[in-house]
Amino acid sequence: MSDDSRPSPSGARTAVVIPAAGRGVRLGPGAPKALRALNGTPMLIHAVRAMAASRAVSLVVVVAPPDGAAEVKALLDTHALPGDNPSGSWGKTDFLVVPGGDSRQESVKYGLDALPPGIDIVLVHDAARPLVPVDTVDAVIEAVRDGAPAVVPALPLADTVKEVEPSAVPGAPETVVATPARARLRAVQTPQGFDRDTLVRAHETVTDDVTDDAGMVEQLGLQVVVVPGHEEAFKVTRPLDLVLAEAVLARRRLNDGF
Ligand code: C5P
């Protein structure tokens, strides 16, 4: 992407909301998932750095566990963050911490409520995807700037997916209901990007349980577009994902010549 397509210094109007208020029970017992360390640094800090690495991002709002906002503020204060965007010519990235809610949706809503005027593009990024490359972040922002009300990064699936009749008993056999054509399916990642007004309206209007923000925009009947995701934008959900994330970081350090 050329520098010309990025917002001007005076018009850097993209903010990121990072919902980080989940307990992450699937990772096993311990600290809230976002605060688990990857190579000694909390996953949340990796995620914040990944967002602030984009020169287009002027504000990062972290949504902390309801009882953990002070702890998260202290974490941001004690870790080096790219406060100045890498080029040094696009202004600073600001950071805000707000307490989260009972659901991911509620946490994102609290993050949106904290946005100042003048922001017109909002990304929502899971703290649980700490390693997303900056090119993916920029591709999402660019697609919103090009006029899409909602943009998701996504990858084709390696596995065939079956729809089942879920069993009430965990581990019991389940009946297959359908097999969607794999070529038409995509595994969706974050950051998801939105025209701010569209996302605010979606959060005001849609009350159904959804697993991503773009799903709410779909329910408004608006177009959601897909841009290529990245294999390193995977979600750290299970213990094996922690191993993979540390391997990715080790490979990056090697490639960076450390
Ligand atoms: O549970 P799941 O992995 O889908 O959570 C996705 C993201 O939403 C995580 O970053 C998690 O911290 C966040 N979340 C939140 N508030 C909640 C539940 C989840 O911010 N109440």
Side-chain angles (χ1 to χ4, degrees):
M1 186 172 71
S2 79
D3 280 356
D4 293 341
S5 64
R6 292 193 163 116
S8 67
S10 57
R13 293 161 307 182
T14 298
V16 185
V17 173
I18 302 186
R23 301 294 319 170
V25 286
R26 284 169 293 183
L27 269 185
K33 176 159 74 174
L35 305 185
R36 301 289 183 92
L38 284 182
N39 276 9
T41 301
M43 206 171 339
L44 172 64
I45 297 295
H46 287 284
V48 169
R49 285 177 178 160
M51 296 300 109
S54 167
R55 291 190 288 167
V57 170
S58 56
L59 171 67
V60 176
V61 180
V62 177
V63 188
D67 55 354
E71 188 186 349
V72 167
K73 267 195 194 100
L75 261 191
L76 293 183
D77 287 343
T78 52
H79 287 82
L81 299 171
D84 284 306
N85 289 317
S87 74
S89 61
W90 296 87
K92 283 176 73 69
T93 306
D94 292 321
F95 302 94
L96 263 183
V97 179
V98 298
D102 289 338
S103 66
R104 183 185 181 284
Q105 241 156 310
E106 204 180 357
S107 293
V108 172
K109 172 82 169 59
Y110 292 162
L112 290 177
D113 290 346
L115 294 179
I119 296 288
D120 55 6
I121 295 175
V122 180
L123 305 191
V124 181
H125 182 61
D126 287 336
R129 298 183 189 272
L131 303 180
V132 58
V134 69
D135 286 354
T136 307
V137 180
D138 282 338
V140 169
I141 294 170
E142 190 177 9
V144 181
R145 287 174 61 76
D146 285 348
V151 178
V152 297
L155 291 175
L157 297 187
D159 295 324
T160 295
V161 172
K162 303 282 184 194
E163 183 184 347
V164 299
E165 192 55 55
S167 154
V169 185
E174 298 173 317
T175 300
V176 170
V177 174
T179 305
R182 189 174 65 186
R184 292 178 60 87
L185 298 178
R186 301 288 179 266
V188 173
Q189 305 175 324
T190 72
Q192 301 190 348
F194 304 90
D195 160 65
R196 177 186 182 168
D197 293 343
T198 301
L199 186 59
V200 168
R201 187 149 65 88
H203 274 266
E204 285 167 356
T205 316
V206 178
T207 51
D208 295 0
D209 232 11
V210 292
T211 51
D212 75 340
D213 297 272
M216 302 171 84
V217 174
E218 283 166 58
Q219 288 197 35
L220 293 183
L222 296 175
Q223 190 189 34
V224 176
V225 301
V226 170
V227 297
H230 196 284
E231 60 178 4
E232 292 182 2
F234 64 92
K235 189 173 183 180
V236 177
T237 307
R238 298 185 176 81
L240 194 58
D241 299 323
L242 288 170
V243 178
L244 181 59
E246 296 205 329
V248 170
L249 284 172
R251 187 177 65 181
R252 284 185 188 175
R253 267 205 308 279
L254 214 60
N255 290 344
D256 289 347
F258 283 103

